[in-house]
Amino acid sequence: MNDLVRAQLAVPSRDELHDFYDSYFETLDSARVSEWPDFFVDDCVYQIIPRENFEAGYQLCTMQGDSKGMLIDRAQAILKTQMFAPRYCRRLYSGLRITGRRDGMITVRQTLVAIQTLIDGPSEILVCGVANDVLEIGTVGLLFKERIVVIDSEMIANSLIYPI
Amino acid sequence: MDAAAPRYWPEAQAGSIPYWIYTDKDNYLEELERVWYGPHWLYAGLEVEVPEPGSYKTTVLGARPVVISRAKDGTVHAFENRCAHRGVRICQERFGSVESFTCPYHQWNYALDGALQGVPFRRGIKGEGGMPRDFDPKANGLRKLKVECVNGAIWASFSHDMPSFREYVGETIWGRYSRVFSGKKLRIIGYNRQLVPSNWKLMLENVKDPYHAALLHVFFATFGLYRPDQKNALEMDESGAHACLTAIMPPKDAAPADGNAVATSLPGFDAGLQLADSRLIEGVRELTGTETVSVMSLFPSVILLQQLNSMQARQIVPRSVDKFELIYTHFGFEDDDEEMQARRVRHANLFGPAGFVSADDGEVLQMTQEGISPDAENASALVRMGGAEIKDATHMATESAIRGMYRYYREVMTA
C-alpha cells in the first residue's frame, strides 16, 4: 500500500462509519453470533470491562478475547455449549466520534446502551457504558483492531451472554 | 401456614430439602441472625485491598454495610458502616485512604479502628446545649467485628466468641485453603459483580455438587477440562458446613483409562468442536500438588476457586430471600510477570456473569428459584445421589456435601 492510497483510505466518511457500526449491531441484535468475529482482524483485542477495573488499572474483564480465534471460541460456546434462558438484546449507540487517526487506523468513541428482554419479562437495561475502538482501514473496509467496552453497570443482572 | 407450627424439616440423611427454606421471608430474617450474624467467619476481603495504614474498603456482610480498615499500627479492623449517632452510612466509596472517618451529617469523627474520637459541640455552644456530661465516647464507637487475617485473606465475624479460622474450617479444608493462600503476597486482578435472582444457599449447593459439573457445563467436557479418567475428591469438614471439590487431570497426552465413553455420552458433547485459540485453557502449574481444580465452599459467605491459573474469591451477599450478589475478586501473586497476568485474565473468561461455565450456573439458579417458588410450602428437593451418606467421596456421582451442609444448617436454625 503506497502512501497516497493509505492517506485516502484513512478518511472514512461519517456515513461509512455509521454503516459499519449499523451492520455490526444489526448482526449482534439478530443474534447472528457466528458472524460476529468477522468484524475483527486476526490480531485483535475485545473487552467488556467493568469501569471500576478499567479506572483502577486492573485487567480483569467480564468478557475478553485477545485474538479473533478467542472470539470464534466465544461464538461457538454461546451457540453450542452454554446453557441460558432465551433472550433478545438490542444495542443502541450515540455520540459516535472519531477521536484520533494514525497510520491506517482511526480511534472511535461511542456511548452505548444494551437492552435485554427475557421471554415473559419486561425489557431492561443490561449494561450502559462507553466503547473505545480502534478500527483498521483496509481495502475491503473497516475492521475492529480493538473494541474496549467500559461498562458503568458493573452489577450485571445475572448473566451477560452475548457480546456488545 | 400457622406461624407457630413447626416447619417440615426432614433429617438431612433423608436427602429431602423442603423448598420453603428458599422462599420463606421469616426464615430468611432468621438466617441473617443465626447464620450471618452468628458464630461464623465471613469473607471480608484480601489484605492487599487495604495495603497501607489508612487504607479502607467497604463491603456488606449479611445485610450490614461494613468497613474494613488498616490502622496506623498495621492491624486490620472491621466495623459497621453506620454512624453511632443517627445511623448514617459513613463511607460511600468502595476503596479509599483516610486519616480518620467522619460522618457527613454531623461530623462525628472516628479513628481507623472505629473508636469515636470527636463529637462537634459536645460541650455545647457558649455553655449551652451539647451532649450530657455522662456521655462516654468509648462506649459509642462504631460496632466492631472480630477480625482474623489468614495468609492474605481477611475474615470477620459479628460474634466475638469465635474459634480461630483454622479451627473453624477444620484440618482437611485448611490443607486445601493453605494451598492457595500460602502466605505468598497476592495481587488484585479485578472484580466482577453479578446479581443472581435466587436464594443464596443455592449458590453454595451448586459448588458442593460435583454431579452437575460435567452435565450442565458442556464447555468442560467439550474442551477437555473434564475427562472421565480425571481423579476427583469431595472433602468436608466434620460439621458438613464446609466442603472442597478437587480434580486432578491426567497429562494431556495420556490415553484416557476407560476410553472416552463417559465424556462422549454426555449430553451436548461434540467431538468435532475444537478451540480456535487454546490459550483460553492452557495453564501452567504454579501451586503445590497436582490439582487442576479446587472449589472450596466456606459456609456461609464465600467460594474460593482455583482452576487453571484463575484464582478467585466469590463473596456471597444475600439481598433478599430470592436474590443475592456474587462478587468475584480475581487475584494472582505479586510477582506475576506480564504473561501470567494475561493468562489469568484469559482463564477468567470461564467465570463471572459472562463466564463460559459460571453463566450456566447463574442461569440454572434462576430457573431453580422460578421452579420451586410457586409450590414451596408443599414440595421438596430430592438429594439422594450417593445414598443417604454424608461423607467424603472420590467420585462425582454424589450429593453428599449438600446433605452435609443442610445437616449443619438445620442444627444452626433449630438450636
Side-chain angles (χ1 to χ4, degrees):
Chain A
M1 202 187 299
N2 66 39
D3 288 348
L4 181 63
V5 173
R6 190 183 293 278
Q8 285 169 342
L9 285 173
V11 274
S13 68
R14 286 185 60 82
D15 276 351
E16 283 167 328
L17 204 53
H18 275 287
D19 284 347
F20 171 75
Y21 279 104
D22 289 343
S23 167
Y24 178 76
F25 287 120
E26 186 186 318
T27 302
L28 286 179
D29 289 358
S30 313
R32 301 202 303 268
V33 183
S34 58
E35 296 171 32
W36 169 62
D38 298 338
F39 287 86
F40 293 80
V41 300
D42 289 343
D43 179 23
C44 65
V45 174
Y46 179 82
Q47 296 184 345
I48 299 177
I49 183 168
R51 185 169 175 164
E52 71 170 319
N53 292 347
F54 185 77
E55 291 184 347
Y58 297 143
Q59 294 177 43
L60 184 78
C61 301
T62 304
M63 192 182 284
Q64 183 267 359
D66 55 356
S67 71
K68 184 173 176 177
M70 285 181 72
L71 307 193
I72 293 168
D73 293 334
R74 173 66 69 173
Q76 293 232 63
I78 294 168
L79 294 170
K80 296 188 174 160
T81 78
Q82 286 187 242
M83 194 288 297
F84 51 91
R87 67 200 61 210
Y88 307 121
C89 186
R90 298 210 176 271
R91 299 145 186 88
L92 310 175
Y93 70 93
S94 71
L96 184 69
R97 194 162 71 81
I98 297 176
T99 52
R101 296 159 204 269
R102 63 167 195 259
D103 207 22
M105 294 194 228
I106 52 172
T107 54
V108 178
R109 183 186 160 88
Q110 64 187 263
T111 308
L112 273 166
V113 175
I115 296 166
Q116 177 170 279
T117 310
L118 293 171
I119 305 302
D120 296 334
S123 299
E124 289 173 331
I125 293 178
L126 176 63
V127 292
C128 67
V130 63
N132 293 299
D133 300 337
V134 179
L135 301 181
E136 210 169 276
I137 304 157
T139 45
V140 292
L142 297 165
L143 288 172
F144 287 113
K145 168 81 175 157
E146 279 182 31
R147 180 159 170 84
I148 315 288
V149 180
V150 182
I151 49 172
D152 298 341
S153 7
E154 294 157 352
M155 185 67 75
I156 305 288
N158 210 1
S159 312
L160 181 72
I161 302 295
Y162 294 106
I164 306 293
Chain B
M1 181 175 253
D2 181 355
R7 305 298 295 252
Y8 162 63
W9 238 132
E11 292 292 330
Q13 280 85 345
S16 176
I17 302 168
Y19 286 145
W20 59 262
I21 65 165
Y22 308 107
T23 60
D24 186 279
K25 292 190 175 78
D26 292 335
N27 186 66
Y28 171 74
L29 295 175
E30 191 70 25
E31 281 175 351
L32 285 177
E33 291 302 323
R34 289 174 180 250
V35 174
W36 293 90
Y37 309 145
H40 296 104
W41 281 117
L42 307 177
Y43 173 83
L46 300 177
E47 279 205 73
V48 66
E49 294 181 295
V50 286
E52 307 285 339
S55 301
Y56 72 86
K57 69 167 278 189
T58 55
T59 187
V60 177
L61 302 179
R64 294 175 180 161
V66 168
V67 179
I68 312 296
S69 80
R70 195 178 285 278
K72 293 230 159 61
D73 65 358
T75 54
V76 174
H77 299 263
F79 41 82
E80 284 193 44
N81 189 0
R82 189 178 66 201
C83 186
H85 179 212
R86 299 283 293 277
V88 173
R89 192 172 68 172
I90 295 172
C91 271
Q92 317 303 323
E93 302 288 333
R94 280 183 180 144
F95 299 96
S97 182
V98 289
E99 286 289 313
S100 61
F101 296 97
T102 302
C103 177
Y105 204 173
H106 302 91
Q107 310 288 313
W108 282 35
N109 181 270
Y110 300 91
L112 293 170
D113 66 356
L116 179 60
Q117 57 184 11
V119 175
F121 305 127
R122 182 178 162 198
R123 308 285 179 208
I125 298 169
K126 292 181 181 171
E128 293 188 277
M131 294 294 278
R133 286 199 172 279
D134 62 357
F135 176 73
D136 179 10
K138 282 194 189 67
N140 287 281
L142 300 172
R143 187 151 72 158
K144 297 196 69 162
L145 285 77
K146 192 173 173 70
V147 172
E148 187 180 343
C149 294
V150 187
N151 291 0
I154 303 166
W155 301 89
S157 178
F158 288 97
S159 167
H160 286 260
D161 185 23
M162 287 297 293
S164 72
F165 175 79
R166 183 168 174 165
E167 270 178 78
Y168 177 75
V169 298
E171 282 307 299
T172 302
I173 302 294
W174 171 257
R176 296 297 181 188
Y177 176 88
S178 55
R179 178 175 163 266
V180 177
F181 293 91
S182 63
K184 192 174 170 183
K185 201 112 192 272
L186 305 179
R187 169 206 293 266
I188 300 290
I189 309 285
Y191 303 90
N192 263 317
R193 296 165 193 272
Q194 185 177 7
L195 188 61
V196 183
S198 93
N199 184 270
W200 62 273
K201 296 186 294 299
L202 287 170
M203 184 70 249
L204 288 174
E205 290 178 34
N206 174 264
V207 291
K208 290 174 188 287
D209 162 17
Y211 176 36
H212 86 286
L215 296 166
L216 172 63
H217 304 306
V218 177
F219 185 91
F220 277 150
T222 303
F223 297 120
L225 291 177
Y226 166 77
R227 282 177 49 171
D229 55 339
Q230 72 185 38
K231 288 185 190 161
N232 300 290
L234 164 66
E235 297 161 304
M236 283 175 268
D237 75 316
E238 281 178 20
S239 75
H242 319 297
C244 187
L245 300 179
T246 50
I248 297 172
M249 203 59 75
K252 220 176 180 179
D253 47 0
D258 55 351
N260 259 322
V262 178
T264 52
S265 69
L266 289 168
F269 183 82
D270 181 346
L273 275 187
Q274 296 285 326
L275 287 174
D277 188 340
S278 58
R279 291 178 305 161
L280 189 59
I281 58 164
E282 275 168 6
V284 296
R285 185 151 291 165
E286 59 176 330
L287 302 172
T288 58
T290 51
E291 296 90 333
T292 51
V293 185
S294 156
V295 188
M296 268 170 278
S297 47
L298 303 189
F299 187 85
S301 70
V302 75
I303 297 147
L304 303 173
L305 184 142
Q306 172 261 323
Q307 182 158 24
L308 303 167
N309 294 107
S310 180
M311 298 186 289
Q312 61 202 249
R314 300 183 190 175
Q315 183 187 358
I316 295 170
V317 179
R319 286 272 294 264
S320 62
V321 70
D322 56 3
K323 206 184 290 173
F324 67 92
E325 287 174 19
L326 193 59
I327 302 170
Y328 292 73
T329 304
H330 285 250
F331 55 90
F333 295 114
E334 192 183 36
D335 62 1
D336 287 348
D337 59 17
E338 279 186 26
E339 199 183 338
M340 181 56 97
Q341 291 182 53
R343 192 179 288 122
R344 295 197 200 282
V345 170
R346 255 179 236 126
H347 293 176
N349 271 300
L350 271 63
F351 311 106
F356 288 126
V357 295
S358 292
D360 299 343
D361 290 321
E363 290 290 304
V364 92
L365 262 50
Q366 176 170 4
M367 294 171 192
T368 307
Q369 190 74 26
E370 288 169 352
I372 64 185
S373 293
D375 203 23
E377 291 293 340
N378 303 308
S380 55
L382 185 67
V383 183
R384 291 202 194 142
M385 267 279 160
E389 63 188 29
I390 298 177
K391 62 179 191 188
D392 294 355
T394 54
H395 56 83
M396 296 172 76
T398 181
E399 292 167 319
S400 185
I402 300 176
R403 292 188 291 273
M405 179 174 82
Y406 283 113
R407 181 180 64 191
Y408 177 77
Y409 174 85
R410 183 171 182 256
E411 280 166 18
V412 171
M413 294 301 288
T414 59

